Amino acid sequence: MLQRHRRQRRGRGGIPADGQPHSRARHRPRRQPALRRYPRGPVHRGERRSGSASRRQPGRLHGLHQANTFLASGHPAPGAGGPGNRGLIESTDAGKTWKTRSLAGEADFHALDYADGTVYGYDSTGGLLRVSKDGTTWENRARLEALDIAVNPISPGTVLATTADGVAKSTDGGKTFTAGKGPVMAFVSWAKPDALYAIDPTGGLNRSTDGGITWKKTATVPGGQPQALTAVDARRILAATQDGVYESRDSGKTFTKRLAVSDSTH
């Protein structure tokens, strides 16, 4: 079941879990949970419960080259023990069980992406972008206040980050970023070079065909404030909102509810 998670943290600014931008003296944003099979497989978004993983795990899960292998981040379930930040965790049985891969007790990845054999993770504990070729050894890149990241699928030197000032851009693999500009977006997902999607804090779905230079609104996703977004390909999009998970198969023009959130999860 999808469950909203709104623990506030102190920080310089950003976009909180409710999708609303705020000033630079408020709270660091929380990354909402998500699930992705990579590359170009089915995408499922929502909370999951498996092994010691919490029902309220922020971060994006990514299957790598092995079948049924996913990477994630999050926090332990209450009473489960272990470090408060799981770091990078791995499942090799499609999410049934999990084990620590690296950075246990150190990192809390609110956003993860994968391109060209490299894992990109936004570590919320210090507002730091980290990258790794093997999921074990990490290189620190830029520091910034962000909610989500997306990597160009064919040119991984280009990384976008959603900030309180708009979308920030890096052309050196996340070592440096421009200041955020343009419309403020909450979540972003890059399916193909000409199919970059982003959802704004009010639920408006936008598409860019030029890498985020210009945006065109395609629709408003039903269900209230956005929680997560994944573009499986140029036509199929999944979005999680307050009341469930919605799917579009026509490039975001229309959406169908695929998973409802029960009242018990609110």
Side-chain angles (χ1 to χ4, degrees):
M1 285 295 191
L2 184 70
Q3 182 175 12
R4 297 193 305 277
H5 187 43
R6 288 182 175 146
R7 190 183 71 183
Q8 294 177 331
R9 291 188 174 197
R10 295 180 180 177
R12 294 189 298 270
I15 305 171
D18 61 8
Q20 299 299 322
H22 52 59
S23 70
R24 290 190 174 278
R26 300 291 293 275
H27 306 293
R28 181 169 297 155
R30 291 292 298 176
R31 175 72 171 112
Q32 292 296 324
L35 170 62
R36 175 182 294 176
R37 176 170 292 175
Y38 184 91
R40 296 191 180 94
V43 179
H44 308 280
R45 288 185 166 265
E47 298 288 354
R48 75 273 180 213
R49 191 172 192 174
S50 51
S52 61
S54 169
R55 291 175 60 191
R56 299 182 296 173
Q57 292 197 38
R60 179 176 294 167
L61 285 77
H62 292 268
L64 300 182
H65 297 293
Q66 299 81 15
N68 298 322
T69 297
F70 298 94
L71 298 178
S73 191
H75 306 282
N85 294 327
R86 289 296 193 192
L88 190 72
I89 57 176
E90 178 184 51
S91 173
T92 56
D93 54 11
K96 295 177 182 178
T97 61
W98 296 89
K99 64 180 180 181
T100 299
R101 186 75 175 265
S102 60
L103 301 179
E106 179 180 349
D108 179 14
F109 291 113
H110 280 194
L112 290 166
D113 210 345
Y114 180 85
D116 194 33
T118 301
V119 180
Y120 294 75
Y122 177 72
D123 181 3
S124 68
T125 61
L128 179 66
L129 183 69
R130 293 181 164 189
V131 301
S132 175
K133 290 287 188 181
D134 58 7
T136 301
T137 304
W138 294 84
E139 178 186 340
N140 294 339
R141 299 280 171 96
R143 291 188 182 275
L144 74 163
E145 288 288 341
L147 179 62
D148 199 11
I149 61 172
V151 184
N152 188 313
I154 65 169
S155 180
T158 301
V159 184
L160 302 181
T162 58
T163 76
D165 299 317
V167 179
K169 182 177 181 179
S170 171
T171 57
D172 55 11
K175 295 177 181 177
T176 61
F177 280 85
T178 63
K181 63 179 181 180
V184 173
M185 302 295 181
F187 300 99
V188 62
S189 185
W190 212 333
K192 293 183 178 181
D194 62 348
L196 170 64
Y197 289 93
I199 191 168
D200 66 32
T202 65
L205 183 72
N206 300 265
R207 177 173 177 168
S208 175
T209 59
D210 54 14
I213 298 173
T214 60
W215 297 90
K216 181 179 180 180
K217 184 176 179 179
T218 63
T220 296
V221 181
Q225 293 165 346
Q227 307 294 312
L229 177 72
T230 287
V232 184
D233 53 39
R235 292 185 58 82
R236 187 183 178 204
I237 302 156
L238 292 177
T241 62
Q242 281 182 302
D243 73 353
V245 178
Y246 291 82
E247 179 185 38
S248 173
R249 290 183 175 269
D250 57 6
S251 302
K253 296 180 178 66
T254 61
F255 281 86
T256 301
K257 195 172 189 177
R258 298 301 186 192
L259 178 67
V261 176
S262 66
D263 291 339
S264 62
T265 63
H266 288 183

